Amino acid sequence: MKIGVLALQGAFIEHIKMLEGLGATAVEVRLPEHLEGLDGLIIPGGESTTIGKLAVMYDLMEPLRQFAMEHPVWGTCAGMIFMAKDVGADQPLLGIMDIVVERNAFGRQIDSFETNLDVSVFKNGQGKPFPAVFIRAPKLVDAKGEATVIARLADGTAVAAQQGQWLVTSFHPELTGDDRFHRYFLGLIGK
Ligand code: GLN
């Protein structure tokens, strides 16, 4: 399997290492032609306004939307913001997923934290919880239409969703050493 990681800014190296650890070929995507021949794409965490500006500058917006229509795409943190249709602010977005996202939604004191999550698609209710690292993370305020919430914090806040072949997480599975999200994403390929 050949998976692209959008490498304009942010935590792309960590995703590449996780993918390689699972035996996939990981490709850094910086230009439209780098999307050719890929089976899926990860959009990493970082700063969504910067990722958006660079994607506009490198003429990636339409090629990324086109790629997403045909392949699995997973956005972590800033990547989730970039995939959303509505973030309540004016910044370049792919605007593909039917989710409403609030940026930097966890307040200053706890703008970074780690917690254990039950992720419905892993069926881990009785098993091992998923360690989730949140860094100035966004919240999923709403998931509409085909988009389904797949993980919530203990207080009910939605932090991961799936819409067909698209996945979003407000946290950073590439920073924990637990590769279940990366495995789950690879499992979406070819479905
Ligand atoms: N706060 C960042 C943003 O708004 C996201 C943070 C992250 O990706 N860790 O884009």
Side-chain angles (χ1 to χ4, degrees):
M1 257 181 282
K2 208 168 161 187
I3 308 296
V5 183
L6 191 63
L8 298 174
Q9 187 262 341
F12 55 90
I13 306 249
E14 292 80 358
H15 277 295
I16 288 171
K17 286 187 184 149
M18 281 289 232
L19 290 167
E20 287 174 346
L22 290 170
T25 303
V27 176
E28 293 183 10
V29 172
R30 293 194 175 82
L31 294 170
E33 52 265 38
H34 299 160
L35 292 166
E36 271 164 42
L38 299 180
D39 299 304
L41 178 76
I42 296 178
I43 304 175
E47 181 55 46
S48 59
T49 50
T50 306
I51 292 173
K53 269 185 212 152
L54 292 171
V56 169
M57 199 183 283
Y58 291 110
D59 287 327
L60 271 161
M61 296 298 276
E62 267 320 305
L64 287 172
R65 288 190 188 108
Q66 196 56 45
F67 183 86
M69 292 307 141
E70 294 154 8
H71 301 90
V73 179
W74 170 21
T76 55
C77 205
M80 168 168 119
I81 297 165
F82 192 47
M83 285 173 72
K85 282 195 177 162
D86 183 355
V87 303
D90 188 17
Q91 64 182 78
L93 300 173
L94 292 183
I96 52 177
M97 204 152 146
D98 287 317
I99 51 171
V100 181
V101 170
E102 182 189 342
R103 292 179 60 202
N104 303 323
F106 289 98
R108 284 194 126 195
Q109 297 90 324
I110 51 160
D111 51 14
S112 298
F113 62 101
E114 186 169 344
T115 191
N116 285 328
L117 289 179
D118 281 340
V119 182
S120 61
V121 287
F122 299 160
K123 300 183 178 51
N124 70 344
Q126 296 152 350
K128 202 168 67 146
F130 190 86
V133 176
F134 292 79
I135 304 168
R136 294 199 308 117
K139 246 180 220 179
L140 259 171
V141 180
D142 201 3
K144 306 175 184 178
E146 305 277 292
T148 311
V149 173
I150 59 168
R152 291 183 187 274
L153 297 178
D155 70 0
T157 305
V159 290
Q162 184 173 348
Q163 179 174 352
Q165 57 189 353
W166 301 330
L167 189 63
V168 287
T169 52
S170 4
F171 47 92
H172 289 262
E174 77 283 10
L175 298 181
T176 51
D178 188 323
D179 60 16
R180 279 178 288 169
F181 257 103
H182 289 80
R183 280 178 197 275
Y184 181 71
F185 179 65
L186 294 180
L188 296 177
I189 289 158
K191 278 203 175 159

